[in-house]
Amino acid sequence: MRKKIVAGNWKCNTTISEGVELAKQVNILVTERGAKDVVVVLGTPFTHLASVCAIVDPDRVCVAAQNCAAEPKGAFTGEVSVSMIQSTGATYVIIGHSERREYYLETSEILNKKVALTLAQGLTPIYCCGEALAIREAGTENNFVKKQLEETIFNLPAEDFKKIVIAYEPIWAIGTGRTASSQQAQDMLAFIRQLIAKKYDQTIAAACSILYGGSCSPANAKELFSQADIDGGLIGGASLKAEDFLAIINAY
Ligand code: 13P
């Protein structure tokens, strides 16, 4: 059985004290009322990782970085390496978010390095993919996402690919309140799973957790998560409110 995962991506929000308070609330709600079969992940800013790791129950709440350096260490001012992330206690790294690709010009070549370093350090990459509105309107979203995967994680040997979590986040649905319909999300996730089966095999495809992200909320999570190929969500805005995040976790 593949894992159900609900991961929050706090993006560039909260001070350390606000973030620790939010993590405390999520931790209490999840330990008291959270669905036991859902892996909960908090994607915090780098500055918060160690403090958040120190206050959550690691059996119920995991912690993710939202990015990592493309080099293991050295003279790269301002960068945060995967081993630094690991030393905080975080166990996941979000890689290739569309905001990183768009605003920080992260290419497939850079993402390949980040995925490799993350895996080498024993952390789990949450690899993001997804198309912009113009691509969706042109009807070429499947080819676009296929190319994103082929240029990056499909280069991995099967043993490494098995450790990856994928998040499909159509850019037009991120922070816009315009969620993909559950059918659109299901269709793309089923397509991705079929690509994995072709590239690797059915067993690997069936075991891969594939998440949907983009304006996911307590109001639409149940409908989205009821789809056969949707294994959870990558949640932006709604992950900043502990009760909303819990409602999404419990939407299965
Ligand atoms: P929103 O849930 O705010 O649309 O953000 C989605 C996202 O980008 C998560 O990584």
Side-chain angles (χ1 to χ4, degrees), residues 9 11 97 99 128 169 173-177 213-216 234-238:
N9 176 5
K11 306 191 178 182
H97 192 282
E99 288 151 16
C128 303
E169 299 202 300
I174 295 177
T176 58
S215 297
C216 201
L234 184 54
I235 320 297

Side-chain angles (χ1 to χ4, degrees), residues 43-112:
T44 84
F46 288 133
T47 43
H48 305 21
L49 290 172
S51 315
V52 167
C53 285
I55 57 101
V56 295
D57 174 354
D59 292 332
R60 298 306 309 279
V61 178
C62 304
V63 178
Q66 300 169 18
N67 181 28
C68 65
E71 302 296 335
K73 64 192 257 191
F76 302 101
T77 302
E79 290 294 285
V80 177
S81 72
V82 179
S83 54
M84 293 173 196
I85 292 167
Q86 187 192 36
S87 70
T88 68
T91 50
Y92 287 80
V93 184
I94 299 170
I95 297 177
H97 192 282
S98 58
E99 288 151 16
R100 301 281 332 157
R101 295 179 192 252
E102 186 178 350
Y103 307 139
Y104 304 98
L105 311 181
E106 294 196 356
T107 59
S108 294
E109 194 186 340
I110 292 170
L111 299 181
N112 280 331

